[in-house]
Amino acid sequence: MEPELTNAAAENIEIANTEVNTEVNTPDIPDIKEELHRHECGVCGYIYEPSVGDPKRNIPNGTAFEDIPNDWRCPVCNTKKKAFADIGVAAKPSGFTENLGYGFGVNTLTPGQKNLLIFGSLALAVIFFISLYALD
Protein backbone atom coordinates (compact mmCIF):
# COMPACT_ATOMS: atom_id res chain seq x y z
CA MET A 1 0.00 0.00 0.00
CA GLU A 2 1.43 3.42 -1.07
CA PRO A 3 1.12 6.45 1.20
CA GLU A 4 -0.90 9.31 -0.22
CA LEU A 5 0.94 12.51 -0.99
CA THR A 6 -0.20 15.80 0.42
CA ASN A 7 -0.43 18.87 -1.81
CA ALA A 8 2.82 20.32 -0.39
CA ALA A 9 4.72 17.07 -0.98
CA ALA A 10 3.37 16.83 -4.54
CA GLU A 11 4.51 20.39 -5.25
CA ASN A 12 8.01 19.60 -3.88
CA ILE A 13 8.29 16.58 -6.16
CA GLU A 14 7.06 18.63 -9.13
CA ILE A 15 9.66 21.34 -8.40
CA ALA A 16 12.42 18.74 -8.10
CA ASN A 17 11.50 17.25 -11.49
CA THR A 18 11.72 20.55 -13.36
CA GLU A 19 14.91 21.40 -15.20
CA VAL A 20 17.40 23.66 -13.53
CA ASN A 21 18.24 26.80 -15.47
CA THR A 22 22.03 26.98 -15.71
CA GLU A 23 22.24 30.31 -17.53
CA VAL A 24 23.97 33.11 -15.69
CA ASN A 25 21.67 36.09 -15.46
CA THR A 26 23.47 39.39 -15.64
CA PRO A 27 21.64 42.55 -14.64
CA ASP A 28 20.33 44.72 -17.40
CA ILE A 29 23.04 47.11 -18.53
CA PRO A 30 21.60 50.44 -19.56
CA ASP A 31 22.00 51.20 -23.25
CA ILE A 32 24.63 53.83 -23.74
CA LYS A 33 23.67 55.97 -26.69
CA GLU A 34 26.51 57.00 -28.91
CA GLU A 35 27.59 60.44 -27.81
CA LEU A 36 30.36 62.70 -29.00
CA HIS A 37 33.74 62.17 -27.35
CA ARG A 38 35.45 64.86 -25.31
CA HIS A 39 39.09 65.76 -25.95
CA GLU A 40 41.65 67.13 -23.50
CA CYS A 41 44.55 69.44 -24.28
CA GLY A 42 47.85 67.78 -23.40
CA VAL A 43 49.45 71.11 -22.50
CA CYS A 44 46.96 73.00 -20.32
CA GLY A 45 44.24 70.44 -19.54
CA TYR A 46 41.43 72.30 -21.34
CA ILE A 47 38.60 69.90 -22.21
CA TYR A 48 36.73 70.41 -25.47
CA GLU A 49 33.07 69.60 -24.82
CA PRO A 50 31.18 68.92 -28.06
CA SER A 51 27.90 69.83 -26.36
CA VAL A 52 29.27 73.35 -25.70
CA GLY A 53 31.51 73.89 -28.73
CA ASP A 54 33.91 76.83 -28.78
CA PRO A 55 32.08 80.16 -28.82
CA LYS A 56 35.38 82.12 -29.02
CA ARG A 57 36.24 80.57 -32.38
CA ASN A 58 32.67 80.25 -33.74
CA ILE A 59 32.47 76.45 -33.33
CA PRO A 60 28.76 75.67 -32.73
CA ASN A 61 27.61 73.28 -30.04
CA GLY A 62 27.17 69.67 -31.17
CA THR A 63 30.30 69.79 -33.37
CA ALA A 64 32.46 66.66 -33.10
CA PHE A 65 36.16 67.22 -32.49
CA GLU A 66 36.97 65.49 -35.77
CA ASP A 67 34.81 68.02 -37.66
CA ILE A 68 36.72 71.03 -36.31
CA PRO A 69 39.12 72.56 -38.86
CA ASN A 70 42.78 71.52 -38.54
CA ASP A 71 43.89 75.13 -38.01
CA TRP A 72 41.77 75.34 -34.82
CA ARG A 73 43.79 75.90 -31.65
CA CYS A 74 43.19 75.51 -27.92
CA PRO A 75 41.28 78.56 -26.65
CA VAL A 76 43.38 78.64 -23.44
CA CYS A 77 46.99 78.01 -24.48
CA ASN A 78 46.80 78.26 -28.29
CA THR A 79 48.14 74.70 -28.83
CA LYS A 80 47.48 72.90 -32.12
CA LYS A 81 44.62 70.43 -32.49
CA LYS A 82 46.89 67.37 -32.63
CA ALA A 83 47.97 67.94 -29.01
CA PHE A 84 44.48 66.90 -27.83
CA ALA A 85 43.74 63.38 -26.58
CA ASP A 86 40.39 61.60 -26.68
CA ILE A 87 39.07 61.10 -23.13
CA GLY A 88 35.73 59.53 -24.07
CA VAL A 89 32.13 60.32 -23.26
CA ALA A 90 31.35 62.32 -20.10
CA ALA A 91 28.52 60.20 -18.68
CA LYS A 92 29.80 56.76 -19.68
CA PRO A 93 30.62 54.20 -16.98
CA SER A 94 34.30 53.30 -16.79
CA GLY A 95 35.56 49.95 -18.01
CA PHE A 96 34.69 47.41 -20.66
CA THR A 97 31.02 47.00 -21.57
CA GLU A 98 31.04 43.24 -20.96
CA ASN A 99 32.26 43.75 -17.37
CA LEU A 100 29.56 46.23 -16.35
CA GLY A 101 27.23 43.45 -15.18
CA TYR A 102 29.55 42.22 -12.44
CA GLY A 103 30.10 43.49 -8.92
CA PHE A 104 27.57 44.96 -6.52
CA GLY A 105 26.03 47.25 -9.12
CA VAL A 106 28.64 49.99 -8.85
CA ASN A 107 30.24 49.08 -12.19
CA THR A 108 27.43 50.82 -14.05
CA LEU A 109 27.95 54.10 -12.15
CA THR A 110 29.65 57.02 -13.83
CA PRO A 111 32.86 58.33 -12.24
CA GLY A 112 30.93 61.26 -10.74
CA GLN A 113 28.40 58.91 -9.15
CA LYS A 114 31.21 56.75 -7.77
CA ASN A 115 32.83 59.83 -6.20
CA LEU A 116 29.54 60.76 -4.57
CA LEU A 117 29.14 57.24 -3.21
CA ILE A 118 32.69 57.05 -1.84
CA PHE A 119 32.95 60.51 -0.31
CA GLY A 120 29.34 60.49 0.89
CA SER A 121 30.01 57.23 2.74
CA LEU A 122 33.20 58.68 4.16
CA ALA A 123 31.33 61.77 5.42
CA LEU A 124 28.67 59.57 7.05
CA ALA A 125 31.36 57.51 8.75
CA VAL A 126 33.00 60.67 10.14
CA ILE A 127 29.64 61.98 11.39
CA PHE A 128 28.92 58.62 13.02
CA PHE A 129 32.35 58.58 14.66
CA ILE A 130 31.91 62.12 16.01
CA SER A 131 28.43 61.25 17.28
CA LEU A 132 30.01 58.62 19.54
CA TYR A 133 31.30 61.48 21.71
CA ALA A 134 27.68 62.32 22.55
CA LEU A 135 27.31 59.03 24.42
CA ASP A 136 28.80 60.50 27.63
Side-chain angles (χ1 to χ4, degrees):
M1 185 169 182
E2 276 185 35
E4 291 185 29
L5 295 176
T6 62
N7 285 343
E11 288 177 9
N12 287 341
I13 291 172
E14 189 175 310
I15 291 171
N17 288 337
T18 59
E19 289 185 28
V20 177
N21 186 5
T22 57
E23 287 184 22
V24 177
N25 293 329
T26 57
D28 292 335
I29 299 171
D31 291 334
I32 301 168
K33 64 180 183 178
E34 199 59 39
E35 294 183 24
L36 298 174
H37 288 228
R38 301 176 315 150
H39 288 73
E40 181 178 19
C41 178
V43 176
C44 68
Y46 169 79
I47 297 176
Y48 173 76
E49 294 278 352
S51 60
V52 177
D54 184 9
K56 282 184 174 180
R57 311 263 163 102
N58 296 328
I59 305 292
N61 58 355
T63 304
F65 189 77
E66 293 79 20
D67 297 338
I68 296 175
N70 286 336
D71 62 344
W72 180 84
R73 292 179 170 264
C74 176
V76 176
C77 66
N78 211 26
T79 303
K80 292 183 178 181
K81 181 179 172 182
K82 61 183 171 182
F84 281 72
D86 186 358
I87 58 172
V89 180
K92 181 181 177 198
S94 303
F96 297 109
T97 306
E98 59 269 9
N99 293 337
L100 295 178
Y102 295 102
F104 295 111
V106 297
N107 287 345
T108 57
L109 297 177
T110 62
Q113 292 170 330
K114 288 179 185 178
N115 284 340
L116 183 65
L117 178 68
I118 292 168
F119 293 114
S121 301
L122 183 62
L124 284 175
V126 168
I127 290 170
F128 176 72
F129 180 75
I130 291 174
S131 70
L132 292 176
Y133 285 110
L135 292 178
D136 278 345

